[in-house]
Amino acid sequence: MYTSVKVPLIGSQDFWDINEKKSDSLLIKPVNNEKFVEKCDAELVSNIDQVYFNSSDFDFTKFELEKLPSILDKKLIANDINKLKVQHEIVEKQLLQLILENQAACDDELDKIGMLQNNLKTSLENCEHAKNRLKLAKRQITTAGLGLLGNCRKKSLILDLLNSLNSIKMLLQTEKKLEELVSQANYAKGIALLLECTQGASAFKQFTCIAALSIKLQDALIMTEEQLDIVLSNMCFNFDNEKYSAVQEAYRRLGKTRIAIDQLHMHYTSAVHSASFDTINLFVNTDKVENNKNSFAFLCQCVPDEQLIPCLIALSKIFWNILQSYKKAADWHKEFKDISTDSEDDIEEYVNQEYISKKFEIGPTRLWGDIITKISNLVFNSNMTKFKFDDFLQVLSILNKHIKIGEEFCNSKSEQLQNDTKKSCINYFHTYHKNCLDELTIFFENESWTPCPVKREFNLFQLQEFRTIKNHIQKSNSSCLTHSRNSSMDSSSISTCEYFHFTSDKSPFDNDLNTTYCEDILDTEMDGNSVCSDDTNNSYEDTDNYNITADNYEKPPLLTNTTLTVMRHCGKYLKICNILKSISEDVVTCLCQLFEYYLYSVHLLFTSDMLPQICSGVNSVKLQSVITRICNTLIQCNHENQDPIIREPVALHVLSLSDANNLYSVSERIVAVESLVFLGEQYKLLHSYLNSLLTSDTSSYSLQQFYNQTVAVAVDLRKPVYGRVMCKSIDYNQVLGMMTKVNWEVKDIMCEHSKYVDFFLQEIRIFFKTLKTSTSHIYLNEQVSYSIWEAIAVLVSSVFIEGFSLAKKCSNAGRALMQLDFTQFMSQINSICPINPLPHKELVEVYIKAYYLPETSLETWTRDHQEYTHKQLLAVINCVCQNNKRLRQKLTNLLEESQQR
């Protein structure tokens, strides 16, 4: 079809002028633009008169001659001839182009014509052969034979009809048979029957009833697939091996094995979503829920705090069933792949199995991610800082079990859950620890400091707080294994036990209920005054026996209710470590703070009364440095712009440290200090276990320093606490007054000791008798006795040195009297003192011997014995150098310089 263009009519002057110009341009200049040439050709063809195309017998010569004018114009005739030639060339060219374009179609048509001729030839030969055979039959076969042939043909037709009717009958009964197979969960046979009937129905589709049946069979097939999908979705909660095998076989017959696996994973995802919503809706506060289109996170916020644990357990059990069902399905496919020996020969089956394997490689991670998201939304949308400790511990235990299940289920570390759990646990624990310290402050302020009647063999392992971790601690203590520094937080919090060994009717969350264990630690047969009611078990006898001979293990330990409270807090702290080892360093630090606060409080409460300078030797430099460190790090009351971690306890009226009637609360002092020492012994039982919880060398070193310094220094608190009682109970000032009255300038050596020695000994005996009365209701072990005697030894040495230093002048006989007095005192004191020799005895002996030193050795002695006070050293110098003023002045100046340094 040519594009119609507007051209001048043939024969007009414009037409000839245009064509003349065009023909001239065609003859003179070659056309370079192809599009322009095509356009000119189209215009020239459109200018050809239509009569040229109307008839094949058209006489174009006559037509052109008739068009000539009456007066011939040679030039005009030449133009017409040129125009006709150009039009003829263009038409000829386009005709050739059309022939070339339709050459392939023409060849195809010729091939079809050839095939048609061959078919006609074959048909003609068949017709001739049939005609010849009919002629032969007409001559050879009788009428009876033709009848038999006719009957055989009818029989064959009837048999075919009967078979067709039976097939149609069977097809019509398919629906009932299919329902029976589906009800029996025999899905594979049902699918096979449907496919067979569908294929058979296609052979009888010409019948109207069969056409309707085909539609019905197709609907039945769709309904069966829907039923299979329903059964497949039920596998998410209650996996049945036989039903699942039947369903997979049915899908395999349908050729939809891969679709079935996709559907299965979609159902598991839907099961997690629907089960979480259904479960949490049972616990939400209906007053806060306005409609049913709330998000899961919003519903979690509507769960009351008291319903969080039941909701979490219920949700965990549902998720456990889903995970267990999924793992059974994965195991089924793994086993099926192993027994499919022909899968390598069947390419399609091999591809299907590889597809299933890939699905079950990535499926668990996605499923576990959905579950962890739901669990996190429920737990971390609640305010757990208000939870009771046991409730929080239960939530932590459930989360830890989820972490362990995730590790086994899909080798997932559940890092986000671990991080959120750690963060929440740290926030809760530090708040809880602060409350525990505040609670201990109240305990210290209201403690009566009377012994708690526990059994003789009591230790912290008998407390119910240590019941669940007792085996771990004892195993750590027995093996003394060094904790591996390579174990990370995540790996340390993952147990190696396999939860999937549980039976289907149990889950790891069945026992997640608060369980209270009974503990038997109190000695019910012992009342408050029967600890030392038997005179044979008392610490002191009337016959000047001041030693303790009873075995320590036969009597219960001295501890208070506050001590029990601290040990219970330790057990609770370690429960958190046992569940979530990632915060062990924080827990161990806070656990050490409990002991530090106990040590600081006992020191503060029972050393608040002033200690005389003469008894300053009972103070321990190491103890004082530890107390100062605790005050700076834990008791920050003196720091500006910094809130204290815990305030100092205030001594209430219960303690009467200045009352001589109860021997300055000596019983309370002993109970307080010995309870601290007992607590330190219990901490030593935890040393190996605490060290195993730490993952860094720095933390392990800090723990070792805590034991070497803080715990070890607890026993040093005995001397300053007990020493204060000694200094107040024994009238050492009277002894010093009597010593000042002694004449140390005697000329003859005395045979009898001074009277102050007997007075001093009598004061000590009276003290122990009073001590016996004041501590009749408690048991004093050997360590207490030794500590008391060490405090007395400090007092004795200080009194003797101070008394000797008061002598203005001293003769050789006076020096011998000093030696006699001290020797007599020591002989008497050794008969009642369990410590032999008495501590600090050598200080007095060295001081007495200093009076015998020659003047030339005095300077060296003074430099080497700076343990004595300036006054005491000056007394020796004055006595020894009383006749050598120059040396005395020199040594006095030396002492002053040393004191300034």
Side-chain angles (χ1 to χ4, degrees):
M1 179 179 180
Y2 298 101
T3 303
S4 59
V5 293
K6 186 175 181 181
V7 296
L9 295 176
I10 297 176
S12 65
Q13 190 61 37
D14 293 337
F15 172 78
W16 298 119
D17 293 339
I18 292 173
N19 283 283
E20 181 179 358
K21 294 177 182 179
K22 288 181 180 179
S23 61
D24 293 340
S25 63
L26 289 172
L27 292 175
I28 298 172
K29 297 180 181 180
V31 179
N32 296 325
N33 193 329
E34 184 177 354
K35 292 183 179 180
F36 178 75
V37 172
E38 291 178 355
K39 182 177 180 181
C40 293
D41 291 346
E43 290 180 355
L44 290 175
V45 171
S46 64
N47 289 330
I48 298 176
D49 203 323
Q50 190 64 31
V51 295
Y52 282 95
F53 304 101
N54 290 338
S55 176
S56 59
D57 56 352
F58 173 68
D59 189 357
F60 58 87
T61 304
K62 182 179 179 181
F63 177 74
E64 291 295 335
L65 291 176
E66 291 177 352
K67 287 170 53 180
L68 293 175
S70 58
I71 301 174
L72 298 176
D73 186 352
K74 184 178 181 181
K75 185 178 180 180
L76 182 61
I77 294 173
N79 288 337
D80 290 341
I81 293 172
N82 291 334
K83 183 188 71 171
L84 290 173
K85 286 181 179 180
V86 171
Q87 291 177 345
H88 181 266
E89 290 176 358
I90 292 173
V91 171
E92 199 175 47
K93 182 178 69 173
Q94 290 186 355
L95 179 62
L96 180 60
Q97 185 177 356
L98 290 174
I99 292 173
L100 292 175
E101 289 176 356
N102 294 295
Q103 183 66 38
C106 181
D107 293 340
D108 292 340
E109 290 297 327
L110 289 176
D111 292 338
K112 291 180 180 179
I113 292 172
M115 290 177 61
L116 182 61
Q117 288 177 346
N118 292 332
N119 291 335
L120 290 175
K121 183 178 180 181
T122 303
S123 299
L124 181 60
E125 291 177 353
N126 290 335
C127 290
E128 290 179 353
H129 179 72
K131 186 176 180 181
N132 294 332
R133 301 300 292 177
L134 287 174
K135 290 180 180 179
L136 180 63
K138 185 177 181 180
R139 291 195 303 268
Q140 295 179 354
I141 299 176
T142 61
T143 305
L146 292 175
L148 290 175
L149 291 175
N151 291 333
C152 289
R153 181 175 176 275
K154 289 180 181 180
K155 179 181 179 181
S156 178
L157 293 174
I158 292 173
L159 288 176
D160 292 340
L161 179 60
L162 183 61
N163 291 332
S164 299
L165 292 175
N166 288 331
S167 299
I168 293 172
K169 181 180 179 181
M170 184 181 68
L171 291 174
L172 294 175
Q173 294 176 348
T174 298
E175 185 176 3
K176 184 177 181 181
K177 183 73 177 293
L178 179 62
E179 291 178 358
E180 293 178 358
L181 292 175
V182 172
S183 63
Q184 297 173 1
N186 196 344
Y187 305 107
K189 286 188 177 181
I191 294 297
L193 178 63
L194 270 174
L195 295 177
E196 182 181 354
C197 292
T198 303
Q199 185 177 2
S202 62
F204 305 101
K205 59 183 179 180
Q206 66 273 19
F207 300 105
T208 305
C209 63
I210 299 301
L213 180 62
S214 298
I215 298 174
K216 198 170 185 181
L217 288 175
Q218 190 65 30
D219 294 339
L221 182 61
I222 296 174
M223 292 179 63
T224 304
E225 290 185 15
E226 293 177 355
Q227 182 68 24
L228 287 175
D229 191 61
I230 294 174
V231 176
L232 196 64
S233 64
N234 293 334
M235 295 292 106
C236 297
F237 297 97
N238 297 303
F239 186 85
D240 188 299
N241 194 71
E242 294 182 359
K243 284 186 178 181
Y244 191 76
S245 300
V247 170
Q248 288 298 324
E249 178 63 21
Y251 275 112
R252 190 180 66 82
R253 290 180 178 271
L254 286 171
K256 296 182 178 181
T257 303
R258 283 180 277 182
I259 295 177
I261 295 301
D262 293 337
Q263 286 291 105
L264 179 67
H265 283 80
M266 184 187 69
H267 285 312
Y268 273 106
T269 302
S270 178
V272 170
H273 181 78
S274 60
S276 58
F277 270 90
D278 294 341
T279 302
I280 203 169
N281 278 319
L282 300 175
F283 298 92
V284 296
N285 190 343
T286 55
D287 297 336
K288 297 182 180 180
V289 180
E290 298 179 356
N291 52 61
N292 297 326
K293 297 182 180 180
N294 296 301
S295 63
F296 184 80
F298 177 78
L299 292 177
C300 292
Q301 297 175 359
C302 298
V303 176
D305 292 340
E306 63 273 9
Q307 293 294 324
L308 175 64
I309 294 179
C311 181
L312 179 60
I313 293 176
L315 197 63
S316 299
K317 288 182 177 180
I318 292 293
F319 289 158
W320 161 253
N321 290 335
I322 294 174
L323 293 177
Q324 194 178 40
S325 174
Y326 186 91
K327 192 170 189 303
K328 289 180 179 179
D331 292 341
W332 186 94
H333 282 280
K334 183 178 180 181
E335 183 179 355
F336 180 80
K337 183 179 180 181
D338 293 338
I339 63 176
S340 299
T341 56
D342 298 334
S343 60
E344 294 183 359
D345 298 332
D346 190 349
I347 297 178
E348 184 178 0
E349 182 66 21
Y350 176 78
V351 173
N352 289 338
Q353 293 303 320
E354 289 299 318
Y355 182 82
I356 293 172
S357 298
K358 292 293 183 181
K359 275 291 183 179
F360 278 103
E361 285 180 6
I362 61 177
T365 303
R366 293 179 178 177
L367 181 63
W368 181 246
D370 293 339
I371 290 177
I372 287 303
T373 301
K374 302 297 183 184
I375 294 294
S376 299
N377 284 334
L378 175 61
V379 174
F380 302 115
N381 273 320
S382 60
N383 185 11
M384 289 190 292
T385 57
K386 298 181 180 180
F387 278 26
K388 295 180 179 179
F389 182 81
D390 291 337
D391 293 339
F392 177 78
L393 207 64
Q394 190 175 4
V395 173
L396 198 62
S397 175
I398 295 174
L399 294 178
N400 186 51
K401 288 182 179 181
H402 279 291
I403 293 172
K404 294 176 181 178
I405 291 175
E407 172 71 12
E408 184 183 349
F409 179 69
C410 60
N411 198 27
S412 171
K413 300 295 183 181
S414 305
E415 294 180 356
Q416 187 61 43
L417 178 61
Q418 288 203 48
N419 294 334
D420 293 341
T421 303
K422 180 180 178 181
K423 181 179 178 181
S424 178
C425 187
I426 289 176
N427 293 335
Y428 177 87
F429 177 73
H430 284 294
T431 302
Y432 179 77
H433 176 62
K434 181 65 169 59
N435 294 334
C436 288
L437 292 176
D438 293 336
E439 180 187 9
L440 286 180
T441 304
I442 299 175
F443 268 84
F444 284 126
E445 292 177 343
N446 296 276
E447 178 63 68
S448 61
W449 302 107
T450 56
C452 184
V454 295
K455 293 185 176 182
R456 294 185 180 96
E457 66 280 2
F458 171 76
N459 59 37
L460 54 79
F461 296 128
Q462 298 174 7
L463 298 174
Q464 67 172 355
E465 285 79 7
F466 285 88
R467 185 176 296 271
T468 57
I469 59 176
K470 176 180 178 181
N471 294 333
H472 298 286
I473 298 175
Q474 292 179 340
K475 182 179 179 181
S476 177
N477 291 339
S478 61
S479 60
C480 294
L481 295 177
T482 302
H483 181 66
S484 175
R485 305 293 180 220
N486 295 328
S487 60
S488 63
M489 178 273 294
D490 297 330
S491 61
S492 65
S493 64
I494 301 300
S495 174
T496 57
C497 65
E498 295 184 356
Y499 282 99
F500 287 108
H501 285 176
F502 282 85
T503 56
S504 59
D505 57 342
K506 292 183 179 180
S507 76
F509 308 98
D510 287 338
N511 58 350
D512 275 306
L513 298 174
N514 286 327
T515 304
T516 302
Y517 300 98
C518 296
E519 60 181 17
D520 185 18
I521 62 173
L522 298 179
D523 191 353
T524 57
E525 298 179 358
M526 181 177 64
D527 55 32
N529 296 321
S530 64
V531 177
C532 297
S533 59
D534 190 355
D535 291 340
T536 59
N537 292 332
N538 205 338
S539 300
Y540 311 104
E541 302 291 340
D542 294 336
T543 58
D544 291 342
N545 183 10
Y546 301 91
N547 192 9
I548 299 174
T549 58
D551 292 332
N552 187 21
Y553 66 87
E554 292 182 355
K555 296 298 179 180
L558 291 177
L559 69 153
T560 63
N561 287 328
T562 306
T563 314
L564 285 176
T565 301
V566 173
M567 288 190 290
R568 293 188 189 278
H569 286 325
C570 292
K572 292 179 179 179
Y573 286 15
L574 293 180
K575 279 184 178 180
I576 295 181
C577 285
N578 189 47
I579 296 175
L580 190 65
K581 291 183 174 60
S582 59
I583 67 165
S584 295
E585 295 187 2
D586 296 73
V587 173
V588 172
T589 300
C590 293
L591 192 122
C592 295
Q593 288 181 357
L594 293 177
F595 185 86
E596 290 176 343
Y597 186 57
Y598 200 109
L599 172 64
Y600 182 85
S601 299
V602 172
H603 180 274
L604 175 68
L605 295 176
F606 293 98
T607 61
S608 58
D609 47 342
M610 295 299 296
L611 183 68
Q613 183 64 30
I614 197 171
C615 295
S616 60
V618 298
N619 286 328
S620 169
V621 177
K622 185 177 180 182
L623 173 63
Q624 192 59 46
S625 64
V626 170
I627 295 298
T628 303
R629 178 184 58 81
I630 295 174
C631 181
N632 293 334
T633 57
L634 189 63
I635 314 295
Q636 299 174 345
C637 297
N638 297 328
H639 291 202
E640 297 181 357
N641 301 326
Q642 190 172 9
D643 295 332
I645 297 177
I646 184 66
R647 68 178 178 86
E648 294 180 346
V650 180
L652 301 180
H653 65 278
V654 177
L655 293 177
S656 300
L657 302 181
S658 301
D659 189 2
N661 295 327
N662 62 357
L663 200 60
Y664 309 101
S665 299
V666 64
S667 175
E668 288 80 359
R669 292 175 189 263
I670 293 174
V671 172
V673 175
E674 295 310 309
S675 65
L676 173 65
V677 174
F678 177 78
L679 182 62
E681 295 297 325
Q682 303 307 300
Y683 263 74
K684 291 178 182 178
L685 297 178
L686 302 176
H687 188 184
S688 298
Y689 181 68
L690 295 180
N691 190 57
S692 67
L693 295 175
L694 303 178
T695 57
S696 65
D697 294 332
T698 304
S699 300
S700 182
Y701 176 76
S702 300
L703 179 65
Q704 188 64 41
Q705 290 294 102
F706 166 75
Y707 275 93
N708 293 339
Q709 296 177 4
T710 308
V711 177
V713 85
V715 295
D716 293 346
L717 190 59
R718 285 170 171 162
K719 287 199 295 184
V721 174
Y722 302 158
R724 281 167 166 77
V725 178
M726 313 298 115
C727 294
K728 291 182 178 182
S729 303
I730 298 175
D731 191 359
Y732 64 89
N733 287 320
Q734 182 68 21
V735 176
L736 291 175
M738 295 175 67
M739 292 179 73
T740 58
K741 297 179 181 179
V742 176
N743 183 13
W744 302 110
E745 290 185 296
V746 294
K747 297 180 180 180
D748 299 327
I749 298 176
M750 305 296 292
C751 297
E752 293 183 1
H753 59 273
S754 303
K755 293 182 179 180
Y756 74 87
V757 174
D758 295 330
F759 179 80
F760 203 178
L761 288 170
Q762 184 63 26
E763 283 291 307
I764 294 175
R765 289 188 180 95
I766 293 173
F767 166 75
F768 276 106
K769 287 182 179 180
T770 309
L771 179 65
K772 173 186 175 181
T773 304
S774 300
T775 60
S776 60
H777 63 288
I778 61 175
Y779 170 70
L780 306 183
N781 55 30
E782 292 182 356
Q783 288 76 18
V784 176
S785 176
Y786 289 164
S787 299
I788 292 174
W789 275 107
E790 286 178 356
I792 290 177
V794 173
L795 178 63
V796 167
S797 62
S798 299
V799 169
F800 270 98
I801 295 173
E802 185 67 18
F804 292 153
S805 67
L806 295 176
K808 302 298 182 180
K809 296 181 180 181
C810 182
S811 63
N812 292 332
R815 296 164 187 167
L817 180 59
M818 290 180 182
Q819 187 71 39
L820 175 63
D821 291 345
F822 186 69
T823 303
Q824 182 63 27
F825 181 87
M826 292 304 301
S827 64
Q828 294 291 329
I829 204 73
N830 286 335
S831 64
I832 61 176
C833 178
I835 307 176
N836 193 9
L838 190 70
H840 309 290
K841 171 187 175 183
E842 65 280 358
L843 286 177
V844 183
E845 293 176 344
V846 170
Y847 191 81
I848 295 174
K849 291 177 181 179
Y851 285 93
Y852 294 95
L853 292 174
E855 294 178 354
T856 56
S857 303
L858 190 59
E859 181 177 355
T860 304
W861 183 88
T862 304
R863 293 180 184 273
D864 296 339
H865 292 82
Q866 295 297 319
E867 65 271 14
Y868 302 109
T869 64
H870 178 271
K871 176 184 176 182
Q872 294 167 354
L873 293 173
L874 189 60
V876 174
I877 293 172
N878 291 332
C879 289
V880 174
C881 303
Q882 57 184 341
N883 297 324
N884 190 344
K885 294 182 179 180
R886 183 178 180 182
L887 179 60
R888 183 173 57 189
Q889 184 63 36
K890 177 183 178 182
L891 293 177
T892 302
N893 295 335
L894 180 66
L895 282 178
E896 292 177 354
E897 292 176 1
S898 176
Q899 186 177 11
Q900 291 176 0
R901 289 196 297 268

